[in-house]
Amino acid sequence: MIVIMSKSMREEELQGVISTIENHGLQAHIVRGAEKTIVGAVGDKSRLVKIPFQAMPGVEEVIPIITPYKLASRDFKPEDTIININGVTIGGNTIPVIAGPCAVESKEKLLEIACQVKEAGAQLLRGGAYKPRTSPYSFQGLEEEGLKHLALAREKTGLPIVTEAVDMNSLEKVAYYADVIQIGARNMQNFALLRAAAKSNKPVMLKRGLSATIEEWILAAEYIMSAGNPQVILCERGIRTFETYTRNTLDLSAVPIIKHLSHLPIIVDPSHGTGKWRWIQPMSQAGIAAGADGLMVEVHQNPSQALSDGGQSLTPEKFKIMMDKIKGVALAVGREIAL
Ligand code: PEP
Ligand code: MN
């Protein structure tokens, strides 16, 4: 349920609504918008059925939220959420591109690619230090050493870093080094990890689960938000379908649907979404046309030698071309690529 306060409400009237909600064992989340103040009641709503909020002073309207998620809902917060990562914003008019290798492979290679993606216009650097590999025999990542390389690359380029936590142990380290904590597709419903990531107070990039519905995905975001961290970035990275030509099926319809249902920013990852470098540029263009707030693209100096996901990585040269192509699409839909 959300309670919309009237424009002329007094502060004690707002406090009256908040304490009524809290006294019934629910949490009150307050959003002070430019126009109105909204109070969301989160918890067991059956405890509030008999409370005549409508009759309380300062209340303009009471709206039941019928979706199972609340804090992530656009009904609860009509304005887009804009997340600021050391000066780079996601969710506003300018669209940042996150680029870098699938995995951090060595200090030298990371520093080189970080400079190259920056040069081409990337605003954030990605790179996995802990890798969730399908096979236990595949390269699992450099772990903390990889995080140190990422921190060095940030120091050298100024690019904030996005990197994945795969479990509770890696989360502690990732939360220390990263600017954005990535929760991968395989962990989208690892609710203990989501709650723990929320506690870091760093922005969390939540990738869509391999077979997750849009509602399950938003509910996973709700776990992070209800644990006290409103800074969630959703990332569409393709879902499992019967199609085998691509690694996954990039569900671009999720972009406008998420923007309709939620105020959270959504970015598109055409690397994992298609699994093949050839489709990254067209699907990046399509993602931006669909309204995405950002892109995440894998880039590697020598994709055929990459320790993971080489087939879906662009070379720095191809990445530069992609960056040029997406600018025009952004302009056509009234946005711009942050450079
Ligand atoms: C990744 O970004 O490298 C990754 C493993 O992504 P996903 O969780 O989407 O498979
Ligand atoms: Mn990858």
Side-chain angles (χ1 to χ4, degrees), residues 256-326:
I257 295 170
I258 288 286
K259 303 275 331 160
H260 174 69
L261 297 174
S262 176
H263 51 86
L264 293 174
I266 174 167
I267 69 165
V268 168
D269 170 355
S271 290
H272 293 87
T274 64
K276 293 181 182 160
W277 69 264
R278 189 177 295 280
W279 316 121
I280 294 177
Q281 182 194 304
M283 296 317 280
S284 294
Q285 292 175 280
I288 289 174
D293 296 305
L295 294 173
M296 181 153 87
V297 176
E298 290 184 336
V299 185
H300 194 281
Q301 297 87 330
N302 192 351
S304 64
Q305 302 295 311
L307 297 182
S308 64
D309 287 350
Q312 61 183 42
S313 300
L314 292 178
T315 58
E317 297 73 32
K318 290 199 176 85
F319 177 63
K320 213 167 176 350
I321 296 170
M322 184 209 93
M323 290 297 288
D324 279 342
K325 293 275 183 200
I326 60 175

Side-chain angles (χ1 to χ4, degrees), residues 33-331:
E35 284 289 303
K36 285 172 185 162
T37 296
I38 295 175
V39 187
V42 178
D44 178 3
K45 61 177 187 283
S46 65
R47 296 184 185 185
L48 295 181
V49 281
K50 295 215 172 81
I51 314 294
F53 281 100
Q54 191 71 69
M56 290 178 73
V59 171
E60 181 177 296
E61 206 184 344
V62 180
I63 303 177
I65 297 188
I66 40 179
T67 53
Y69 47 86
K70 320 273 176 228
L71 303 177
S73 163
R74 192 150 314 252
D75 292 337
F76 175 57
K77 181 172 179 283
E79 298 97 12
D80 287 339
T81 285
I82 300 178
I83 295 174
N84 189 321
I85 307 149
N86 302 350
V88 177
T89 55
I90 300 192
N93 200 51
T94 47
I95 300 170
V97 176
I98 306 166
C102 176
V104 178
E105 297 179 2
S106 74
K107 181 164 77 183
E108 293 69 29
K109 281 198 257 177
L110 183 71
L111 292 179
E112 184 185 39
I113 200 75
C115 293
Q116 287 170 323
V117 297
K118 182 184 170 149
E119 169 81 24
Q123 292 268 303
L124 296 109
L125 175 68
R126 66 147 288 146
Y130 298 87
K131 294 305 303 175
R133 304 307 300 279
T134 302
S135 163
Y137 307 117
S138 302
F139 175 60
Q140 303 287 310
L142 296 181
E143 305 188 342
E144 191 169 5
E145 190 192 336
L147 295 176
K148 289 185 178 156
H149 300 337
L150 282 163
L152 187 63
R154 170 178 53 206
E155 205 179 290
K156 294 254 187 273
T157 60
L159 298 178
I161 54 182
V162 182
T163 193
E164 178 168 354
V166 292
D167 53 23
M168 293 293 198
N169 288 333
S170 56
L171 175 64
E172 205 181 306
K173 301 247 166 32
V174 167
Y176 176 74
Y177 290 94
D179 300 295
V180 177
I181 300 170
Q182 177 174 322
I183 301 290
R186 291 154 192 82
N187 269 319
M188 188 203 83
Q189 286 188 313
N190 183 341
F191 301 121
L193 188 64
L194 298 179
R195 283 205 188 96
K199 297 283 176 241
S200 69
N201 287 325
K202 295 219 168 151
V204 178
M205 183 204 288
L206 180 64
K207 297 192 101 182
R208 183 176 182 179
L210 306 176
S211 302
T213 64
I214 287 174
E215 187 169 288
E216 287 164 342
W217 187 18
I218 302 178
L219 279 167
E222 187 87 6
Y223 263 92
I224 301 168
M225 301 179 82
S226 63
N229 188 342
Q231 303 186 87
V232 181
I233 302 155
L234 298 169
C235 177
E236 165 60 43
R237 49 77 72 204
I239 47 173
R240 286 271 163 96
T241 68
F242 56 82
E243 180 56 73
T244 53
Y245 187 83
T246 45
R247 179 179 178 180
N248 293 293
T249 296
L250 187 62
D251 177 14
L252 287 184
S253 69
V255 174
I257 295 170
I258 288 286
K259 303 275 331 160
H260 174 69
L261 297 174
S262 176
H263 51 86
L264 293 174
I266 174 167
I267 69 165
V268 168
D269 170 355
S271 290
H272 293 87
T274 64
K276 293 181 182 160
W277 69 264
R278 189 177 295 280
W279 316 121
I280 294 177
Q281 182 194 304
M283 296 317 280
S284 294
Q285 292 175 280
I288 289 174
D293 296 305
L295 294 173
M296 181 153 87
V297 176
E298 290 184 336
V299 185
H300 194 281
Q301 297 87 330
N302 192 351
S304 64
Q305 302 295 311
L307 297 182
S308 64
D309 287 350
Q312 61 183 42
S313 300
L314 292 178
T315 58
E317 297 73 32
K318 290 199 176 85
F319 177 63
K320 213 167 176 350
I321 296 170
M322 184 209 93
M323 290 297 288
D324 279 342
K325 293 275 183 200
I326 60 175
K327 279 184 215 156
V329 180
L331 280 180

